[in-house]
Amino acid sequence: MYRPFQREKEKNEFTNSRRAHTIMSPEDMAAGKKSYWPELEITGTICNLSPALWKMNHLTSLYLNDNNLSHIPPEIARLSCLTHLDVSSNKLRHLPPELGDIVSLRELLLNNNFLRNLPFELGRLFRLSNLGLKGNPLSPELYVIYSESNGTQKLLSFLLDNLSVTPSEPPERPWVTINPPTRTRPACVFTVMCYNVLCDKYATRQMYGYCPSWALSWEYRRKGIMNEIRHYSADIISLQEVETEQFYNFFLPELRREGFSGIFSPKSRAKTMSEGERKHVDGCAIFYRASKFTLIKEYLVEFNQLAMANAEGSDDMLNRVMTKDNIGLAALFQIKEGAYSNGLQPELNHAQPILACTAHIHWDPEFCDVKLIQTMMLMHELYTIAEEANAVFYPSSQKHDVNNIPLLLCGDFNSLPESGVIEFLSTGRVSGSHPDFKDFRYKESLRKFNYCDATNEYTHPFRITRTYNDGVMPYTNYTFDFKGIIDYVFYSKRHITELGVLGPLDAEWMRDNKIAGCPHPHIPSDHFPLLVELELSLPTPSTLIIPNDLILQR
């Protein structure tokens, strides 16, 4: 049963310490001082509100309590900056669904009205921490939920879970052509996907309160994720935040049926866990189309182990870098003859290798130094791998140039395009005084990660460039609090040409459907997959041979 309806307002029940004001003195006015009032209070026997009120979209607090309002117009949604709204002690019987569009609201007081039901759209107010409903004749269903412990959040979740979802799915993302394919020499044209699928244990209501709980569940999201992977059907698929159990029980079986093989490694913490705990640790995976590529060898890059091995007495290296267990995963492939799609077959003595890597760099913006160092360690490890492969595939070469081995580098680098991480990858160098190092003492620890004679600069030897370099994607990660580019695909400039990329989600659809952030019932992750079409040209026949022991021991 619900509590009997009461119109009497308890004394001092709604005292609000925030509602304080100062009056500008005549001296201030004479001096030309400007006033700023982000809060507005209208109290009396008001029955109607002026349309001019809805033009005051700078307001952060609006107090309309203790009036005779019988309705709130839908235009209130124009006050998009509101964090506090009090319409207590009025005569409201209904609320406009548009109230749910003010997602910045943290307090909504509706006490002592005539409300029996609430629009499901109120469930979209995921930032709301205080919802006042006392003194309303709420339906028994709503009242029971609201009366429970943590009732505000449970009620919001109930409303959001029952809110109808627009039936229109996002339009197809456009394909953006960048270069035409080669027609005059043998070349391998292949596609690459880079996708952070959002691990199940991170997909919580606390993190993504704007998404219905049923759409956050792994059983629901995994179908959408796999549908995207199948739809784009890339030849090399680089995934991050893949849970160990899901790799073996879901991704690998599903993609094997599509003609893929795959490799995986969880984050380093898995080594210290029990078997039951280990299966929920996320990591990185690489899938490859078995008809186009043969796996020669796989490599795990553990940043915490590298930090410990290269600390050189640096407390910062041990306390900041070693404590983060992010990883990189690399695979050395041989390209099969069936991968040459332009009708020109390579000569028999070709055994073209390609080195593919996926990585998931530390997430916290406060640890930009850790992100940069993890990336430097990754490139150093890739150098070692490429050097080993170069000696196998080019044994007669006098100069072992690691750029002989085409490199494909994908990942969630958790770094914006203007960061030290992306500067280092794109240009091949970063200053030792770069602000991302944050004045921590890393100099001695980073000596081996330098490939030039400069004393205050760190470099890597790979000549790589990134796809999506012309502002095609305004963001690859889309949440309420953050929207930006943090996912990347890099490739070797010497061997590989970028033919095209998959464009962004339709901005008009996002706006029309009021997508506060992702995941969303139609978008299964908070990251959007990157899809790139690349062309790899073969070297001259005299420079590359098939080693007798091509398939190395894994």
Side-chain angles (χ1 to χ4, degrees):
M1 295 297 293
Y2 62 93
R3 191 178 66 177
F5 171 60
Q6 295 178 350
R7 275 290 295 167
E8 293 184 15
K9 184 172 68 174
E10 297 178 18
K11 187 175 182 181
N12 299 325
E13 184 180 358
F14 309 117
T15 301
N16 193 327
S17 60
R18 288 189 306 273
R19 295 166 70 167
H21 64 273
T22 58
I23 298 175
M24 189 180 295
S25 67
E27 292 78 15
D28 287 337
M29 287 189 287
K33 185 176 180 180
K34 301 293 184 181
S35 64
Y36 177 71
W37 42 280
E39 302 186 1
L40 179 63
E41 180 174 2
I42 302 175
T43 303
T45 56
I46 304 298
C47 296
N48 294 291
L49 298 167
S50 168
L53 176 60
W54 316 126
K55 297 180 181 179
M56 300 180 183
N57 53 17
H58 68 286
L59 291 176
T60 60
S61 298
L62 179 60
Y63 303 103
L64 300 173
N65 52 294
D66 297 292
N67 284 295
N68 289 319
L69 298 173
S70 59
H71 75 286
I72 299 293
E75 287 78 12
I76 194 170
R78 297 177 186 174
L79 306 184
S80 59
C81 295
L82 281 185
T83 58
H84 304 280
L85 175 62
D86 187 350
V87 288
S88 299
S89 300
N90 278 282
K91 298 179 179 180
L92 302 176
R93 296 182 180 274
H94 305 282
L95 295 174
E98 291 79 5
L99 199 56
D101 294 344
I102 314 177
V103 292
S104 57
L105 276 175
R106 296 184 180 274
E107 180 178 67
L108 175 60
L109 301 181
L110 302 166
N111 305 284
N112 295 308
N113 278 284
F114 299 102
L115 300 172
R116 294 183 178 276
N117 288 295
L118 301 173
F120 290 122
E121 286 78 3
L122 287 194
R124 299 180 63 234
L125 302 178
F126 67 97
R127 288 189 145 190
L128 207 61
S129 57
N130 186 15
L131 175 62
L133 288 171
K134 293 181 179 179
N136 283 284
L138 292 176
S139 67
E141 183 179 29
L142 295 181
Y143 181 74
V144 167
I145 298 172
Y146 181 66
S147 299
E148 294 178 9
S149 175
N150 199 24
T152 291
Q153 296 308 314
K154 290 181 179 179
L155 182 56
L156 292 175
S157 182
F158 168 81
L159 295 172
L160 184 60
D161 286 351
N162 286 278
L163 175 63
S164 297
V165 178
T166 173
S168 66
E169 294 189 2
E172 283 283 333
R173 291 169 61 182
W175 185 256
V176 181
T177 300
I178 297 174
N179 289 298
T182 297
R183 302 295 182 188
T184 58
R185 64 182 185 276
C188 173
V189 175
F190 62 99
T191 51
V192 178
M193 172 184 276
C194 180
Y195 193 11
N196 182 323
V197 298
L198 180 58
C199 179
D200 181 35
K201 69 174 177 289
Y202 303 145
T204 64
R205 284 278 302 169
Q206 289 71 31
M207 285 291 295
Y208 306 101
Y210 46 76
C211 183
S213 53
W214 55 265
L216 276 178
S217 72
W218 178 246
E219 288 301 310
Y220 178 85
R221 289 196 307 111
R222 73 176 191 170
K223 296 174 186 176
I225 291 166
M226 188 54 64
N227 285 342
E228 286 209 83
I229 292 174
R230 284 198 182 100
H231 177 69
Y232 295 120
S233 191
D235 298 309
I236 295 177
I237 303 168
S238 159
L239 302 181
Q240 303 85 43
E241 287 197 24
V242 176
E243 196 172 272
T244 300
E245 184 178 45
Q246 297 302 334
F247 173 80
Y248 291 105
N249 295 338
F250 176 66
F251 285 102
L252 189 57
E254 290 287 328
L255 288 172
R256 272 178 175 163
R257 287 194 281 270
E258 304 292 327
F260 289 88
S261 296
I263 62 173
F264 167 81
S265 181
K267 289 177 179 174
S268 301
R269 75 184 73 153
K271 294 179 178 179
T272 65
M273 293 180 168
S274 67
E275 185 176 349
E277 296 171 323
R278 194 181 305 133
K279 64 183 181 180
H280 298 299
V281 176
D282 67 291
C284 295
I286 299 175
F287 291 94
Y288 56 96
R289 194 176 298 280
S291 62
K292 288 191 174 185
F293 303 96
T294 298
L295 178 65
I296 299 175
K297 193 173 182 180
E298 64 181 85
Y299 307 83
L300 173 62
V301 181
E302 295 185 280
F303 298 128
N304 60 356
Q305 297 300 311
L306 292 170
M308 183 165 55
N310 293 281
E312 299 291 341
S314 168
D315 289 340
D316 292 329
M317 197 74 160
L318 294 173
N319 295 331
R320 290 179 67 82
V321 184
M322 193 193 72
T323 56
K324 311 300 185 294
D325 69 340
N326 305 83
I327 63 166
L329 182 65
L332 183 64
F333 294 117
Q334 174 199 352
I335 299 176
K336 293 184 176 181
E337 286 189 21
Y340 298 91
S341 58
N342 63 354
L344 301 174
Q345 291 297 315
E347 297 193 16
L348 291 177
N349 67 336
H350 279 79
Q352 176 62 52
I354 183 171
L355 177 60
C357 178
T358 183
H360 192 186
I361 300 302
H362 185 63
W363 66 273
D364 192 341
E366 292 300 314
F367 287 81
C368 55
D369 55 318
V370 173
K371 300 173 197 276
L372 182 50
I373 292 170
Q374 286 182 342
T375 305
M376 293 168 64
M377 292 191 294
L378 176 65
M379 299 310 288
H380 180 72
E381 291 301 298
L382 291 178
Y383 169 80
T384 302
I385 296 168
E387 196 173 39
E388 173 191 318
N390 194 73
V392 172
F393 282 91
Y394 296 87
S396 61
S397 175
Q398 293 181 350
K399 181 181 180 181
H400 285 174
D401 182 358
V402 293
N403 286 286
N404 287 333
I405 307 298
L407 174 63
L408 180 65
L409 176 59
C410 309
D412 175 1
F413 286 88
N414 274 309
S415 303
L416 293 168
E418 60 271 18
S419 66
V421 166
I422 306 307
E423 177 184 332
F424 176 68
L425 290 174
S426 299
T427 67
R429 62 188 67 248
V430 68
S431 170
S433 57
H434 194 284
D436 280 7
F437 284 119
K438 303 183 75 167
D439 296 325
F440 289 109
R441 296 181 179 179
Y442 292 118
K443 189 171 183 180
E444 291 301 312
S445 306
L446 302 178
R447 282 184 302 175
K448 68 180 293 185
F449 304 124
N450 199 0
Y451 296 88
C452 70
D453 296 328
T455 57
N456 193 40
E457 188 174 54
Y458 303 105
T459 63
H460 70 75
F462 294 98
R463 292 190 285 278
I464 57 176
T465 188
R466 72 181 178 96
T467 61
Y468 289 94
N469 220 353
D470 299 320
V472 174
M473 289 285 283
Y475 30 70
T476 64
N477 183 217
Y478 191 93
T479 67
F480 181 81
D481 295 311
F482 174 83
K483 297 171 179 62
I485 298 172
I486 58 175
D487 304 272
Y488 301 88
V489 176
F490 289 86
Y491 63 91
S492 295
K493 292 187 283 187
R494 176 186 295 182
H495 306 274
I496 299 176
T497 302
E498 182 181 10
L499 301 184
V501 298
L502 184 68
L505 269 77
D506 186 84
E508 185 175 343
W509 181 87
M510 301 282 281
R511 183 175 59 253
D512 291 347
N513 289 280
K514 302 172 182 176
I515 310 297
C518 298
H520 177 271
H522 292 316
I523 305 172
S525 175
D526 58 338
H527 290 250
F528 304 141
L530 303 182
L531 184 70
V532 186
E533 185 178 45
L534 302 171
E535 179 183 74
L536 187 147
S537 299
L538 287 173
T540 58
S542 61
T543 60
L544 184 65
I545 66 170
I546 299 180
N548 293 328
D549 56 345
L550 175 63
I551 305 302
L552 305 179
Q553 293 298 315
R554 291 174 56 183

